[in-house]
Amino acid sequence: MSTPRPAAVLVLAAGEGTRMRSTTPKVLHHIGGVPLVGHAIRAARGTGAQHVGVVVRHDRDRVAELCTTLDDRLVIADQDEVKGTARAVECGLGALPADLSGTVLVTYGDVPLLTGDTLVELTAAHLETGSAVSVVTAHLADPTGYGRVVRDANGRVEQIVEHKDATEAQRTITEINSGIYAFDVSVLREALASVGTDNAQGERYLTDVVALARAAGRPVRAHVLDDLWQTEGVNDRVQLAALGRELNRRICEGHMRAGVTIVDPATTWIDVDVTIGQDSTVLPGTQLLGGTTIGADAVIGPEVTLRDTEVGDGAEVTRAVANLAVIGAGATVGPYSFLRPGTRLGARGKIGGFVETKNADIGEAAKVPHLTYAGDVTIGEGANIGAGTIFANYDGVAKHHSTVGRHSFVGSSTVVVSPVDVADGAYVAAGSALTQDVEPGQIAVARGRQRNIDGWVERSRAGTAAATAAREARARHTDGPEPATSEGNAS
Ligand code: UD1
Ligand code: CA
């Protein structure tokens, strides 16, 4: 066996989080595309623990439902009306097997930057040192509000005193309790039984377990973390933004170290699960969200927002928004394009400027270059859709689908009134309002024939500048010299 695993991890998430001033429970607020409690669950899973439990109470159903959606093997433990972190852990243990032995880790649902690796290191150090309690601590310039780590003359951890219960002298201590621990479960159970409520808040404090274990002669140690961000919790939206930015910085750094160029990490936002291939470049103002995946050698940005979108190798996406779309290898998208769910652009295909697509399967090397709405359509390989084409997919009641075949050509400013089938190798004349299918090799001309009426402007718009211009032009045309050649003063 390689690294030893904890038997269980308990994530405390029963608190109310009033400072968020939100109707959404605190732990359901997101950073990096994942709810706060989701980050805690991922870190817990990163230890390989057999059991991961989340202790809930405030807005119980919403938190529990979201947690089980994220991870269906989770144990949901309900905290009762007794308050305090010790009670939360007791309720958590109550939901785990009664014969559980070994190490139990405790973390918080609102501390999102803590990593699974840190918990693995904590577990390893806890076991190597034969400790009964390991408390994760950090040295803070401003420790206000935190529980302080009180050490004895030999530097060993003696107790943790909450800020509200601390003496003036204890408040000068800058080593704080992060609230993350590793416990030997039998020592934890025994100590919890003796935790009372004799403190400023009248709550049952988990921190009391430290002094109780010490008093029972059990080895207690501090696991000091230098990376302070990993111990930071979210209490309000200012901290939510600060931790979100730091998480993003770390994510961007990870991609850069793996061979992705990110020109401006400060304006680039990448969710935790996004993958980006080697030698791709991300330009400023870009958001890569959800389960987005980018291939190698792609160029994304500036100002691109991709959600749950797949981008192939070597594709280029500029100033575009895409949601649940697939962009093939070597394809180009943008600027100013909107790819809605179900858009699939084939390899080397093009979706150009001011184009909106939805449920659009666009074949290899097919082009939809300008000013088009392509909804509910299949466009064959190598087809060209002229500027300003509209696939009118909605008749006011239902949506309909159209097809444009391989290497077909739709002239500019055409309205395809779906459902219509344009076969392979067919043409549609510009300005058509297409309502019938077009067979292979045909050209469809679906518009009124042009009619020119002589003298109309001078008759119906007499006295206007247009009428004068028409008269002058005709005079030049009939008896005057040809304007382009006769003036002769252009270089
Ligand atoms: C706690 C610690 C403190 C530490 C700080 C670090 C105690 C008594 N104090 O204080 O030493 O410095 O965390 O952030 O443990 N929770 C429950 N059930 C409860 C109470 C809390 O699940 O009954 C959960 C909360 O949802 C939260 C976490 O435990 O995720 C911490 O609770 P909070 O009230 O914020 O504790 P602090 O007073 O900050
Ligand atoms: Ca807190």
Side-chain angles (χ1 to χ4, degrees), residues 55-141:
V55 182
V56 294
R57 179 171 167 81
H58 178 74
D59 234 333
R60 185 254 175 229
D61 290 347
R62 273 178 84 182
V63 178
E65 194 196 318
L66 185 274
C67 288
T68 27
T69 321
L70 293 175
D71 183 336
D72 58 7
R73 291 181 302 138
L74 274 186
V75 176
I76 302 293
D78 284 287
Q79 187 174 351
D80 54 21
E81 61 292 334
V82 179
K83 286 189 165 174
T85 43
R87 185 59 186 166
V89 169
E90 258 175 4
C91 294
L93 287 176
L96 298 177
D99 60 353
L100 194 79
S101 65
T103 307
V104 170
L105 307 185
V106 172
T107 68
Y108 289 167
D110 57 5
V111 177
L113 265 53
L114 179 71
T115 66
D117 286 351
T118 297
L119 292 178
V120 167
E121 285 160 23
L122 168 66
T123 308
H126 175 76
L127 292 170
E128 273 162 28
T129 55
S131 301
V133 178
S134 292
V135 48
V136 176
T137 72
H139 291 278
L140 298 191

Side-chain angles (χ1 to χ4, degrees), residues 112-443:
L113 265 53
L114 179 71
T115 66
D117 286 351
T118 297
L119 292 178
V120 167
E121 285 160 23
L122 168 66
T123 308
H126 175 76
L127 292 170
E128 273 162 28
T129 55
S131 301
V133 178
S134 292
V135 48
V136 176
T137 72
H139 291 278
L140 298 191
D142 179 11
T144 309
Y146 286 94
R148 307 296 209 282
V149 179
V150 180
R151 292 177 181 255
D152 66 16
N154 299 316
R156 288 179 307 181
V157 177
E158 204 168 57
Q159 59 165 330
I160 292 167
V161 186
E162 290 306 290
H163 183 93
K164 287 182 178 149
D165 301 299
T167 63
E168 275 310 311
Q170 286 168 334
R171 286 185 183 179
T172 65
I173 298 171
T174 57
E175 185 179 15
I176 61 96
N177 168 30
S178 70
I180 299 150
Y181 315 81
F183 296 105
D184 176 89
V185 68
S186 58
V187 174
L188 175 62
R189 282 209 174 92
E190 198 179 289
L192 280 173
S194 311
V195 171
T197 56
D198 184 15
N199 54 57
Q201 302 188 90
E203 291 187 4
R204 298 190 59 215
Y205 286 171
L206 182 59
T207 46
D208 286 358
V209 166
V210 169
L212 287 163
R214 256 300 288 262
R218 311 291 194 169
V220 174
R221 65 181 277 277
H223 188 84
V224 185
L225 267 196
D226 294 329
D227 183 3
L228 302 182
W229 287 106
Q230 289 205 43
T231 67
E232 289 256 355
V234 172
N235 294 303
D236 59 30
R237 300 198 202 216
V238 175
Q239 289 167 325
L240 185 73
L243 289 184
R245 177 166 289 287
E246 176 60 18
L247 175 63
N248 188 62
R249 197 193 63 73
R250 292 176 180 215
I251 291 169
C252 286
E253 187 174 316
H255 288 295
M256 291 187 283
R257 297 215 181 279
V260 175
T261 295
I262 298 179
V263 173
D264 183 15
T267 62
T268 301
W269 290 85
I270 304 179
D271 280 351
V272 287
D273 289 329
V274 170
T275 63
I276 310 178
Q278 201 179 19
D279 284 318
S280 280
T281 298
V282 182
L283 297 167
T286 293
Q287 296 165 287
L288 305 176
L289 308 176
T292 293
T293 63
I294 312 283
D297 300 307
V299 180
I300 311 295
E303 287 165 22
V304 165
T305 300
L306 304 180
R307 181 177 290 282
D308 298 322
T309 288
E310 187 184 322
V311 179
D313 294 347
E316 292 187 18
V317 183
T318 306
R319 292 184 212 276
V321 174
N323 185 12
L324 283 166
V326 178
I327 297 167
T332 61
V333 172
Y336 309 108
S337 0
F338 182 24
L339 280 60
R340 293 165 52 203
T343 297
R344 302 180 67 88
L345 177 60
R348 292 169 287 106
K350 178 184 175 86
I351 292 176
F354 301 100
V355 170
E356 176 176 335
T357 59
K358 184 214 73 172
N359 266 342
D361 208 324
I362 302 169
E364 265 184 48
K367 290 179 179 170
V368 187
H370 332 273
L371 302 158
T372 285
Y373 175 60
D376 299 311
V377 64
T378 302
I379 296 170
E381 167 201 342
N384 187 92
I385 307 299
T389 296
I390 304 294
F391 288 86
N393 59 332
Y394 185 49
D395 61 11
V397 178
K399 300 283 170 68
H400 302 279
H401 181 270
S402 282
T403 305
V404 175
R406 295 172 53 240
H407 303 288
S408 289
F409 180 98
V410 175
S412 292
S413 201
T414 289
V415 181
V416 178
V417 183
S418 296
V420 168
D421 245 338
V422 177
D424 293 352
Y427 270 58
V428 176
S432 288
L434 204 63
T435 54
Q436 288 166 27
D437 293 353
V438 186
E439 301 302 322
Q442 290 183 332
I443 182 167

